[in-house]
Amino acid sequence: MNAEGEVFHESGEKRTSETVAGFLSSIAIFMSLVGLAWHPLRLIPLSIFLALLSTALRGRDQTLPLIAVCFGALAFVAGMAVAVATSNPIW
């Protein structure tokens, strides 16, 4: 701990926020997959929000939150296209 009250972590130690970011990213990817099969406008925007939140919490070397955001965006486009093409309800 330094004079300003910051805690320095060793390079091999994982912070709690990085662990939470990983869980939020995996939940966001799962919600995007469910949104593809079910009403896309209900779940996919929430999953994109969770993915963006996990991006804010991530560490320097984590790529899973970035993958979750990209997957959510692609799932939104694909889910809306499938819902419109098959005349299924969007909401």
Side-chain angles (χ1 to χ4, degrees):
M1 188 175 220
N2 66 0
E4 287 100 26
E6 296 177 4
V7 176
F8 294 110
H9 295 280
E10 295 179 15
S11 61
E13 189 176 337
K14 200 170 196 180
R15 296 185 331 201
T16 306
S17 64
E18 293 174 356
T19 305
V20 171
F23 283 124
L24 285 176
S25 298
S26 60
I27 290 169
I29 291 172
F30 178 73
M31 285 179 67
S32 295
L33 285 173
V34 172
L36 281 173
W38 195 45
H39 303 286
L41 204 57
R42 287 185 184 177
L43 290 178
I44 296 177
L46 181 60
S47 72
I48 292 173
F49 174 74
L50 286 178
L52 289 173
L53 183 64
S54 70
T55 304
L57 293 175
R58 72 178 170 92
R60 292 186 181 265
D61 299 336
Q62 288 189 345
T63 57
L64 186 61
L66 177 63
I67 292 170
V69 171
C70 293
F71 190 79
L74 290 174
F76 182 76
V77 171
M80 295 300 278
V82 167
V84 169
T86 59
S87 299
N88 285 335
I90 297 173
W91 185 257

